[in-house]
């Protein structure tokens, strides 16, 4: 891969800014006439606070800047190299009564394959008030990714040869970024507080028309978020005889009502007929949530310093985040040699606790009907975590310099001190994946400068 980059940068009157860029990327993954992709960008800024008509506001408005940009970037991440070429392998054929060697096509070609492009529009404002004690920015962005390199289904008539990617997908991401900072001093105490937040919403704008791609519990379809959950909904837990009578009434109306999914007994989930056709089947799966990524992220930084003491804290979190969690310790079946979380074992349905239970009856792995993918496994994974907290003391220079040390600081810190979440798994930050949770770490150290 080769890249070339050019830039023009103009600033005049310390108020107006204009920048233009052109990037050229070349990749041998594409056909010779498709090697190069050209990706321009332009940005402009206006420092409104420098205008003459803003002079009357300078005592409280320190800075105000309006900016906008539009640009593009390329991606050549095809699943395999050189998909513009057909590939062949040796094989044997039977001609008459004889076996004859020959070639068979193992990879179809796509000579039109080219760069995936992302086009981003940003409009933002930077501000500062009260001699920049209060500062920050607000930005709106719109990101369109076009020509996404994906594999599309093909008719069976094409044979067994592999199918190359196509520039067939489009996705839109749009949202806002916000930053607010406050820094001030009271006598010898200096303090700062900063908050940042980002919100993004995505949608597939082009894929396969009305045809959806379903992989496990996730669905991709035009007009919908990426990887939207697509599962059954739980109508209720069958708790008593009245619920069993309701189950029987469904069978009386349609003897094949439970032909696809097992008929529930006491303590089991009864799944909902969401489309109301009087039959429980895969068509009753429902689209739930906004995909498998958080739409809201945020962070908070706190800082204090007084004389030689300093203190800092970093908080980080996400919101509007749902995950499908059905593995290891969170499930509704018992497996020899594996554990369940205490919340499930304490609150599963039993004949002695039919009405206050949160979860269905626990069956062994031979009968896993309650483990059928459903919204019972979709959990709120929003969290707020203290990523780091630190306290330090800098030895006065008149002491440290006696030991030929310019600066000497003693500090202690704690990583991952606490997490506030309702997520039932080990760690909302790794969410549905199976892995190790964040480790709480205590540190004591020295920073020395000579």
């Amino acid at each position: 891969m080769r890249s070339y980059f050019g830039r023009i940068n103009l600033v005049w009157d310390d108020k107006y800014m204009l920048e233009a860029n052109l990037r050229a990327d070349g990749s041998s993954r594409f056909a010779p006439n498709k090697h190069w992709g050209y990706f321009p960008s332009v940005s402009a800024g206006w420092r409104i606070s420098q205008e003459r008509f803003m002079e009357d506001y300078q005592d409280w408005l320190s800075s105000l800047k309006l900016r906008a940009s539009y640009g593009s970037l390329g991606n050549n991440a095809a699943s395999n190299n050189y998909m513009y070429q057909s590939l062949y392998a040796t094989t044997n054929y039977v001609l008459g009564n004889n076996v004859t060697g020959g070639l068979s096509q193992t990879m179809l070609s796509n000579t039109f394959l080219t760069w995936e492009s992302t086009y981003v529009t940003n409009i933002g404002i930077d501000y500062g008030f009260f001699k920049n004690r209060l500062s920050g920015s607000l930005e709106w962005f719109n990101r369109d990714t076009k020509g996404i390199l994906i594999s599309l289904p093909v008719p069976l008539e094409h044979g067994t040869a592999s199918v190359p990617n196509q520039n067939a997908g489009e996705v839109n991401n749009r949202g806002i970024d916000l930053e607010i900072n406050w820094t001030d001093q009271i006598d010898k105490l200096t303090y700062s507080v900063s908050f940042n937040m980002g919100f993004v919403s995505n949608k597939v704008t082009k894929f396969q028309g009305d045809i959806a791609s379903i992989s496990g519990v996730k669905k991709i379809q035009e007009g919908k978020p990426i990887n939207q959950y697509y599962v059954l909904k739980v109508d209720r837990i069958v708790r008593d005889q009245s619920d069993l009578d309701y189950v029987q009434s469904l069978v009386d109306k349609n003897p094949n009502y439970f032909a696809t999914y097992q008929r529930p007994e006491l303590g089991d989930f009864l799944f909902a007929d969401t489309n109301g056709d009087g039959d429980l089947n895969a068509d009753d799966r429902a689209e739930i949530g906004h995909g498998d990524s958080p739409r809201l992220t945020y962070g908070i930084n706190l800082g204090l310093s007084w004389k030689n003491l300093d203190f800092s804290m970093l908080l980080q979190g996400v919101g509007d985040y749902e995950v499908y969690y059905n593995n290891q310790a969170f499930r509704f079946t018992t497996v020899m040699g594996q554990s369940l979380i205490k919340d499930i074992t304490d609150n599963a349905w039993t004949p002695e606790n039919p009405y206050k239970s949160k979860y269905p009856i626990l069956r062994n792995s031979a009968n896993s009907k309650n483990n059928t993918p459903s919204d019972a496994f979709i959990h709120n994974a929003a969290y707020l975590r203290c990523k780091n907290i630190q306290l330090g003391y800098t030895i006065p220079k008149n002491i440290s310099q006696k030991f030929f040390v310019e600066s000497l600081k003693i500090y202690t810190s704690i990583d991952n001190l606490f997490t506030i979440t309702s997520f039932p798994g080990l760690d909302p930050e790794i969410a549905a994946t199976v892995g190790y949770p964040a480790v709480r770490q205590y540190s004591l150290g020295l920073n020395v400068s000579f």
Side-chain angles (χ1 to χ4, degrees):
M1 178 172 172
R2 290 177 293 174
S3 297
Y4 298 95
F5 185 78
R7 171 181 293 172
I8 298 175
N9 196 333
L10 300 175
V11 179
W12 64 97
D13 290 343
D14 201 30
K15 293 181 290 189
Y16 312 109
M17 290 146 280
L18 179 66
E19 182 178 299
N21 301 289
L22 177 62
R23 181 185 179 98
D25 292 323
S27 174
S28 58
R29 288 186 168 186
F30 306 126
N33 64 331
K34 300 288 186 179
H35 271 185
W36 289 96
Y38 301 95
F39 308 103
S41 64
V42 61
S43 62
W46 177 28
R47 296 185 65 184
I48 304 174
S49 56
Q50 298 296 312
E51 296 287 356
R52 182 172 298 178
F53 62 79
M54 296 294 293
E55 290 178 355
D56 294 338
Y57 308 101
Q58 292 292 330
D59 55 338
W60 61 272
L61 181 59
S62 308
S63 63
L64 185 64
K65 177 182 175 182
L66 182 66
R67 52 185 169 80
S69 65
Y70 178 81
S72 60
L73 288 172
N75 180 16
N76 67 340
S79 59
N80 289 300
N81 293 327
Y82 316 121
M83 287 187 173
Y84 66 90
Q85 294 177 324
S86 298
L87 298 181
Y88 295 84
T90 57
T91 189
N92 292 324
Y93 295 91
V94 177
L95 297 176
N97 294 321
N98 299 314
V99 177
T100 303
L103 297 173
S104 64
Q105 190 171 10
T106 59
M107 168 69 80
L108 302 181
S109 65
N110 180 3
T111 57
F112 298 101
L113 201 66
T114 188
W115 287 84
E116 172 186 312
S117 299
T118 299
Y119 304 90
V120 184
T121 302
N122 289 74
I123 299 175
I125 186 168
D126 301 324
Y127 59 85
F129 298 97
F130 316 118
K131 296 183 179 179
N132 286 322
R133 284 181 294 171
L134 175 63
S135 63
S137 64
L138 176 64
E139 183 174 302
W140 172 86
F141 65 87
N142 184 79
R143 183 182 298 113
D144 285 307
T145 304
K146 299 184 178 182
I148 298 175
L149 300 164
I150 59 175
S151 294
L152 294 178
V154 293
L156 294 177
E157 288 81 1
H158 92 283
T160 60
S162 299
V163 180
N165 289 158
Q166 298 181 46
N167 295 99
E170 295 184 7
V171 173
N172 174 263
N173 286 268
R174 63 178 57 183
I176 60 171
D177 289 319
L178 171 67
E179 183 179 352
I180 302 174
N181 307 295
W182 176 267
T183 302
D184 203 357
Q185 183 171 348
I186 302 175
D187 196 16
K188 295 183 179 180
L189 175 66
T190 301
Y191 67 94
S192 64
V193 180
S194 65
F195 171 79
N196 63 80
M197 182 199 75
F199 178 84
V200 61
S201 180
N202 71 69
K203 181 172 66 175
V204 178
T205 53
K206 182 181 179 181
F207 186 54
Q208 298 179 128
D210 294 332
I211 302 174
S213 174
I214 300 171
S215 177
V217 298
K218 298 176 183 179
K219 178 180 181 181
I220 299 177
Q221 188 172 13
E222 281 187 23
K224 307 291 184 179
I226 299 174
N227 289 329
Q228 190 173 31
Y229 295 117
Y230 190 56
V231 294
L232 294 172
K233 286 189 172 183
V234 174
D235 178 272
R236 68 186 73 180
I237 295 175
V238 179
R239 299 183 183 276
D240 52 25
Q241 186 59 46
S242 64
D243 286 331
L244 287 174
D245 293 341
Y246 176 69
V247 171
Q248 183 59 46
S249 71
L250 298 174
V251 176
D252 292 341
K253 295 176 184 177
N254 177 8
N256 295 318
Y257 188 88
F258 294 106
T260 304
Y261 301 103
Q262 297 181 56
R263 177 171 175 165
E265 302 173 51
L266 278 175
D268 290 327
F269 280 143
L270 171 62
F271 299 115
D273 175 17
T274 57
N275 63 7
D277 65 354
D279 190 12
L280 183 64
N281 53 42
D283 293 335
D284 291 303
R285 289 175 293 179
E287 299 163 350
I288 299 175
H290 305 284
D292 58 357
S293 298
R295 297 208 295 172
L296 175 69
T297 59
Y298 60 93
I300 303 171
N301 272 289
L302 305 174
L304 292 170
S305 64
W306 179 74
K307 294 184 177 180
N308 291 357
L309 284 170
D310 63 83
F311 170 83
S312 65
M313 176 184 288
L314 171 61
L315 303 171
Q316 177 262 332
V318 303
D320 202 358
Y321 183 32
E322 292 180 320
V323 300
Y324 185 86
Y325 186 71
N326 176 13
N327 54 31
Q328 290 196 338
F330 194 97
R331 62 186 185 279
F332 305 130
T333 59
T334 57
V335 180
M336 182 69 69
Q338 295 186 12
S339 301
L340 295 174
I341 65 172
K342 189 174 185 294
D343 185 42
I344 289 181
T345 57
D346 289 351
N347 295 286
W349 186 95
T350 63
E352 297 76 28
N353 181 31
Y355 298 109
K356 294 183 179 180
S357 55
K358 296 194 301 182
Y359 306 112
I361 188 171
L362 300 180
R363 300 187 178 278
N364 62 38
S365 57
N367 187 344
S368 59
K369 58 183 174 181
N370 291 322
N371 253 33
T372 299
S374 72
D375 62 351
F377 299 105
I378 296 178
H379 301 277
N380 179 6
Y383 68 88
L384 172 64
R385 168 166 286 168
C386 179
K387 297 291 288 186
N388 177 264
I389 184 170
Q390 181 171 299
L391 178 65
Y393 178 74
T394 301
I395 305 297
K397 281 193 173 183
N398 61 343
I399 297 176
S400 63
Q401 288 179 347
K402 292 180 180 180
F403 303 96
F404 308 102
V405 174
E406 182 66 25
S407 175
L408 176 62
K409 179 180 177 179
I410 304 171
Y411 70 90
T412 181
S413 69
I414 307 173
D415 294 331
N416 304 311
L417 178 61
F418 63 83
T419 302
I420 300 173
T421 184
S422 62
F423 180 65
L426 292 175
D427 186 349
E429 198 165 0
I430 60 174
T433 60
V434 178
Y436 293 102
V439 177
R440 183 179 300 166
Q441 180 172 296
Y442 299 86
S443 301
L444 180 64
L446 294 174
N447 284 335
V448 182
S449 298
F450 294 94

